[in-house]
Amino acid sequence: MKEQLHALQSEALGLIAEAGDIPTLEGLRVRFLGKKGELTAILKQMGQLDPNQRPVIGQLANAVSAEITEAIQMRREVLEAADLDQRLRAEQLDVTIPGTAQVIGKRHPMMKTLDEALDIFIGMGFTVAEGPEIEFAANVFDKLNTAEGHPSRDWQDTFYFDQADKHVLRTHTSSVQIRVMENQTPPIRVVSPGRVYRKDEVDATHSPMFHQIEGLVVDKGITMADLKGTLNALVQELYGAGTKTRFRPHHFPFTEPSCEVDCQCFKCSGAGCSMCKGEGWIELLGAGMVHPNVFRNCGIDPDEYTGFAFGVGLERMTMMRFNISDLRLIFENDLRFLRQF
Ligand code: PHE
């Protein structure tokens, strides 16, 4: 009987493994394990056994039965999975399957500020010009009237690429203005947004990488009045009608005269508060009339044309626009912070 049971087991397991569908599997279950099945038939002969053999055979029969049951169950799972798979492929659209939620993103606050600023400039007739972040030192410095030896070329605050100092990570987007002037004849009216790099330590107001928008206007008869009008219009649009500006004399090598522009603190309207550190004014940007040497370096005749340029830090604009107190928050990409805007 032992041999019979072993033979039954191996036959059953072989057939189960080959069963190609659920009905076949069900047929095998009835054939081997059913009331009139082959296992029962064998067990019916138990009576002929030596009494001390009965428990041994009984145990073996139970083990065989359990193994066949388990094999059927496992085969059933495989067949059912294949079945589902096939049905999914056949019924292309199953409206009962739960959908995948769409996670909707948000604009980064700095990109919002940039879009707003570009809208304002485009509304004033500017076009957008872009240039490479890895620039010729000539475009970042020399042609902008900052010859060899000028402090702003210092290794201290500049990322150079080669010993010959030929290529740098641009320290401002004024380099784009050089490219525009070399390739376009006036009238020119462009803004150039983009990343710039300086060897600054990270703190609440500094980062070795930040963004600027610089503007350039070149035409016949452009004066400082045009510069003031344009920047005043920008400030009114950004921070509300009636926001006052203040132009202070300053020095940039590539503009003459040069100025820095402050706007009246939009939080305290000039009374003095924590935002403006009690000053009543917040520094906004640098600007000036394009230096004649810069024109000459780009093949534009300074006796025929004049122009103005300005450069504004996008992070600072964003911090003012959204009342953000720490520059680092802008770059950390912490969603808990970014979702607020
Ligand atoms: N390039 C200057 C800076 O990065 C900003 C500037 C641009 C000043 C144009 C004047 C004119 O600080």
Side-chain angles (χ1 to χ4, degrees):
M1 257 175 92
K2 245 188 197 162
E3 292 73 46
Q4 272 181 304
L5 283 170
H6 282 306
L8 176 122
Q9 177 179 18
S10 69
E11 190 192 0
L13 292 183
L15 288 172
I16 289 166
E18 280 164 22
D21 51 47
I22 307 264
T24 308
L25 199 61
E26 183 56 21
L28 290 173
R29 192 188 62 76
V30 172
R31 173 174 157 192
F32 290 106
L33 302 178
K35 271 200 189 114
K36 296 179 186 161
E38 293 184 18
L39 188 64
T40 319
I42 295 175
L43 291 178
K44 276 187 182 146
Q45 307 162 27
M46 289 266 273
Q48 309 162 10
L49 283 176
D50 190 318
N52 56 21
Q53 274 296 302
R54 281 179 203 160
V56 181
I57 295 298
Q59 222 169 29
L60 179 62
N62 282 342
V64 168
S65 168
E67 194 152 336
I68 294 176
T69 307
E70 194 190 326
I72 288 176
Q73 181 53 29
M74 275 164 55
R75 185 69 191 151
R76 178 185 293 274
E77 279 166 25
V78 170
L79 289 174
E80 279 174 351
D83 219 42
L84 176 66
D85 210 48
Q86 207 197 354
R87 251 189 309 146
L88 283 180
R89 236 168 299 167
E91 305 163 20
Q92 295 243 338
L93 181 72
D94 182 347
V95 292
T96 66
I97 290 180
T100 328
Q102 287 288 325
V103 182
I104 303 204
K106 290 191 119 186
R107 298 285 285 161
H108 191 285
M110 201 170 62
M111 290 300 128
K112 278 191 178 173
T113 310
L114 177 61
D115 282 349
E116 271 178 32
L118 289 183
D119 269 355
I120 295 169
F121 285 122
I122 289 167
M124 290 195 274
F126 285 79
T127 54
V128 177
E130 288 184 314
E133 290 171 29
I134 301 173
E135 243 311 358
F136 293 109
N139 289 347
V140 176
F141 298 121
D142 301 67
K143 292 177 191 169
L144 283 159
N145 210 27
T146 355
E148 206 75 58
H150 191 280
S152 69
R153 306 183 63 133
D154 206 323
W155 277 89
Q156 292 298 316
D157 48 32
T158 308
F159 291 107
Y160 286 94
F161 269 83
D162 35 32
Q163 281 303 317
D165 296 358
K166 260 199 142 137
H167 299 91
V168 295
L169 281 176
R170 63 184 181 193
T171 58
H172 49 190
T173 54
S174 306
S175 51
V176 181
Q177 313 190 10
I178 294 295
R179 288 172 175 266
V180 170
M181 285 192 280
E182 284 181 335
N183 292 301
Q184 268 173 250
T185 41
I188 290 170
R189 224 184 283 166
V190 292
V191 279
S192 44
R195 287 193 190 104
V196 300
Y197 302 85
R198 294 179 196 176
K199 273 192 188 169
D200 279 330
E201 296 285 337
V202 176
D203 68 20
T205 53
H206 291 87
S207 159
M209 184 283 296
F210 60 101
H211 296 71
Q212 284 189 327
I213 311 179
E214 294 214 359
L216 172 72
V217 171
V218 182
D219 204 348
K220 289 176 180 157
I222 295 288
T223 70
M224 194 94 182
D226 298 304
L227 167 65
K228 289 184 84 167
T230 304
L231 294 181
N232 275 332
L234 170 71
V235 168
Q236 310 274 319
E237 286 275 354
L238 274 178
Y239 302 114
T243 309
K244 291 208 177 94
T245 54
R246 178 172 80 172
F247 289 69
R248 282 181 289 108
H250 197 73
H251 172 262
F252 295 107
F254 31 85
T255 47
E256 182 60 37
S258 305
C259 59
E260 274 190 334
V261 182
D262 306 330
C263 78
Q264 200 169 54
C265 180
F266 46 86
K267 215 172 167 195
C268 63
S269 304
C273 67
S274 63
M275 182 88 195
C276 57
K277 298 192 185 85
E279 299 269 328
W281 297 90
I282 296 174
E283 187 193 317
L284 194 61
L285 52 83
M289 301 304 291
V290 180
H291 197 292
N293 286 348
V294 175
F295 277 145
R296 278 184 208 108
N297 293 337
C298 300
I300 291 175
D301 180 0
D303 292 327
E304 196 180 351
Y305 291 102
T306 50
F308 67 80
F310 57 89
V312 51
L314 193 53
E315 283 79 3
R316 172 174 299 183
M317 261 170 90
T318 308
M319 288 165 77
M320 286 168 62
R321 169 84 176 69
F322 292 109
N323 209 348
I324 298 169
S325 57
D326 194 319
L327 174 70
R328 287 166 288 202
L329 290 166
I330 292 181
F331 299 125
E332 274 167 1
N333 285 336
D334 184 333
L335 289 178
R336 291 169 301 179
F337 169 73
L338 294 176
R339 284 205 179 104
Q340 299 175 75
F341 302 100

